[in-house]
């Protein structure tokens, strides 16, 4: 009888365990960790600020243009259009030395940009730096990917 009682006890414990397993709620997945915002793409931000700089310059707001261009350079110091924007602002202010420095930096950062070579070449010719200017204008005119090679000579 002791063995039968022992079997009944084991059976009762087993059935209780099985009943508990069957009545358990499915485990809910852990809540997802909060998603972090993606890192900002600084080159895209620099492009936007440089574009704004050109717009401010066209609207006759050189101080706002300079602020946006400098911000673009902080975001991407190697963005040629940010240097171009600053060069054009300095050119407008008749600070030709600073403008030339920024123009040359822009060309060094984007040596395949024919439109940029045309712009800088024209500036250099206006500043009586004809040899350097003509070299850039010639390179722009000879660039087969340049949509407006005739512009290099006008």
């Amino acid at each position: 009888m002791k063995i039968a009682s022992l079997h009944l006890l084991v059976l009762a414990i087993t059935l209780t365990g099985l009943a508990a397993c069957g009545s358990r709620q499915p485990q809910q997945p852990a809540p997802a960790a909060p998603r972090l915002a993606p890192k900002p793409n600084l080159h895209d931000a620099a492009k936007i600020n440089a574009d704004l700089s050109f717009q401010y310059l066209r609207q006759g707001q050189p101080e706002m243009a300079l602020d946006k261009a400098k911000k673009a350079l902080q975001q991407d110091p190697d963005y040629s259009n940010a240097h171009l924007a600053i060069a054009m602002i300095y050119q407008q202010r008749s600070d030709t030395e600073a403008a030339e420095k920024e123009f040359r930096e822009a060309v060094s950062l984007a040596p395949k940009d024919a439109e940029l070579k045309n712009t800088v070449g024209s500036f250099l010719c206006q500043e009586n730096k004809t040899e350097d200017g003509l070299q850039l204008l010639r390179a722009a005119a000879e660039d087969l990917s340049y949509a407006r090679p005739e512009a290099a000579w006008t």
Side-chain angles (χ1 to χ4, degrees):
M1 185 103 147
K2 285 186 176 185
I3 294 180
S5 296
L6 185 59
H7 283 295
L8 284 175
L9 181 61
V10 170
L11 182 60
I13 292 173
T14 303
L15 289 175
T16 304
L18 287 174
C21 286
S23 67
R24 273 177 63 187
Q25 294 293 324
Q27 193 174 26
Q28 296 292 325
R35 297 181 98 186
L36 299 176
K39 283 187 176 182
N41 183 330
L42 292 179
H43 177 75
D44 288 348
K47 184 180 181 323
I48 290 167
N49 278 304
D51 289 347
L52 287 170
S53 176
F54 289 119
Q55 288 177 14
Y56 282 124
L57 193 57
R58 278 191 291 274
Q59 293 173 357
Q61 298 179 46
E63 291 307 314
M64 289 294 293
L66 187 58
D67 287 345
K68 291 298 178 184
K70 285 181 176 181
K71 186 167 187 157
L73 279 184
Q74 289 172 348
Q75 293 162 329
D76 186 352
D78 295 331
Y79 186 45
S80 63
N81 276 358
H83 288 280
L84 176 62
I86 290 176
M88 294 175 85
I89 294 163
Y90 288 151
Q91 180 184 19
Q92 192 178 69
R93 291 179 171 180
S94 299
D95 186 348
T96 56
E97 187 176 313
E100 181 179 344
K101 177 182 174 280
E102 293 297 330
F103 275 131
R104 288 185 185 271
E105 182 66 16
V107 170
S108 76
L109 292 169
K112 295 182 180 182
D113 186 335
E115 184 76 33
L116 179 60
K117 288 178 188 175
N118 183 47
T119 300
V120 177
S122 295
F123 167 80
L124 291 173
C125 286
Q126 289 170 3
E127 296 303 314
N128 296 318
K129 301 196 176 183
T130 312
E131 189 174 321
D132 288 348
L134 287 176
Q135 182 180 354
L136 287 171
L137 291 171
R138 202 172 295 114
E142 292 170 356
D143 187 334
L144 298 177
S145 67
Y146 190 21
R148 303 176 329 131
E150 70 282 356
W153 300 111
T154 56

